[in-house]
Amino acid sequence: MRQLKIIALAMFATSVALTGSRAQDASSPVLTIEGKIAANGSIDLTMNEIEEIGVAEITTTTPWHDGAVTFSGAPMADLLKKVAATGSKISVIALNNYHTEIPVSDFEKYGVILATKKDGKYMPVSDKGPLFIIYPFDSDKELKSEIYYSRAAWQVRTITVE
């Protein structure tokens, strides 16, 4: 069953990459959240469901882009509240199997978002989409370090609350 979820998420991401925008079927799951949450340990969310949580913007420079970029998406703190998460950290896995761990305390402290758009457009897989965890790097010099850059995962497909 887990393999089917991964295949479905990869198919969604591929369709976003090919079209450069949100896939035709916005009801397709794009993110799995599992672990210490209320929904029997696992929930699949669509792009629509993620965006319904709320939208925040961060304009910041990153090591991966030229100049400042405006990202918009759901605040990570609100996303975790929506799924009734009870853990103290999350483990993130990307479509390319990149893995990182992030303390939940970062989300309130820094206003971290799960970006769905860059400069007003949905992000294709070829441009770090469809989901990208973004910190406001320019807001605090502490954030301009490898620790926080490594937590800014792109192509996010699974979040496990621990």
Side-chain angles (χ1 to χ4, degrees), residues 60-75:
T60 191
T61 56
T62 77
W64 314 285
H65 299 92
D66 294 327
V69 178
T70 299
F71 295 95
S72 58

Side-chain angles (χ1 to χ4, degrees), residues 24 29 42 68 81 83 101:
Q24 294 283 353
S42 179
K81 285 177 193 166
V83 299
E101 293 184 349

